[in-house]
Amino acid sequence: MESSTSGKVELPTAFEETHIDHLVDLIDRLMAHNDRIPLSPESLTRFHSRSTPSISVLDYLKRIVKFTNVEKSCLLITLHYIDQICARMPLFTLSSLTCHRFIIASITVSSKGLCDTFCTNNLYAKVGGISVTELNILEREFLSVIDWRLLA
């Protein structure tokens, strides 16, 4: 991962070789910026948690990878989904209140759309620390917002 003097971070040319730490660094930087934006009632989404989860984004992603064996392509397309959802929902921000629920929804959706084998929603929910009912709701909301466009 390269960083220029402007603070811009770029993934390596062989993006499929990107380490999970690089993905987390990009997400962490975005969250740090967005956490400074005041939260307004009209910006609340289904992805908002009542409080910041105690698990770090890195540990959360490592947990998901460990228990679901998710393919790297699903982790990488999460960056595209962030852009896609922000373009379609201008008030949405990826913050410490939305990141974890967004990630588990993104990985659930992308693994079903991109992979030959994937886990059940029961497992994704258990690994993600939410109920299967809540994951089902997040998955439907996620797909609706991206207009079912799973590929970049």
Side-chain angles (χ1 to χ4, degrees):
M1 184 168 68
E2 296 178 21
S3 179
S4 66
T5 55
S6 68
K8 183 178 178 181
V9 176
E10 295 181 21
L11 294 176
T13 305
F15 64 89
E16 66 277 1
E17 300 298 324
T18 302
H19 192 271
I20 191 172
D21 291 342
H22 296 162
L23 176 68
V24 171
D25 181 57
L26 290 170
I27 292 172
D28 278 342
R29 295 174 95 182
L30 182 59
M31 285 176 18
H33 177 269
N34 289 343
D35 280 344
R36 294 190 305 255
I37 299 170
L39 187 61
S40 62
E42 61 271 5
S43 67
L44 291 176
T45 68
R46 185 56 88 170
F47 299 104
H48 279 84
S49 298
R50 292 177 193 259
S51 61
T52 303
S54 58
I55 187 170
S56 71
V57 174
L58 178 60
D59 289 341
Y60 193 65
L61 280 171
K62 283 182 177 178
R63 175 181 169 82
I64 292 169
V65 169
K66 177 181 178 181
F67 292 109
T68 68
N69 243 359
V70 67
E71 293 182 21
K72 191 173 281 191
S73 61
C74 296
L75 299 174
L76 290 172
I77 202 161
T78 296
L79 296 174
H80 169 71
Y81 289 151
I82 292 168
D83 285 341
Q84 198 174 357
I85 286 185
C86 288
R88 293 172 180 272
M89 293 175 64
L91 293 177
F92 176 79
T93 56
L94 192 75
S95 68
S96 57
L97 292 176
T98 60
C99 187
H100 295 74
R101 293 163 59 89
F102 180 90
I103 286 173
I104 197 63
S106 173
I107 288 173
T108 300
V109 166
S110 63
S111 64
K112 290 177 181 181
L114 301 174
C115 305
D116 292 332
T117 59
F118 51 87
C119 302
T120 63
N121 278 20
N122 286 330
L123 181 60
Y124 287 123
K126 184 176 181 178
V127 170
I130 59 176
S131 71
V132 70
T133 301
E134 186 62 24
L135 180 59
N136 291 340
I137 292 168
L138 289 172
E139 182 179 22
R140 281 191 303 272
E141 176 76 9
F142 190 95
L143 287 165
S144 174
V145 173
I146 66 168
D147 196 25
W148 293 79
R149 295 173 194 216
L150 301 178
L151 303 177

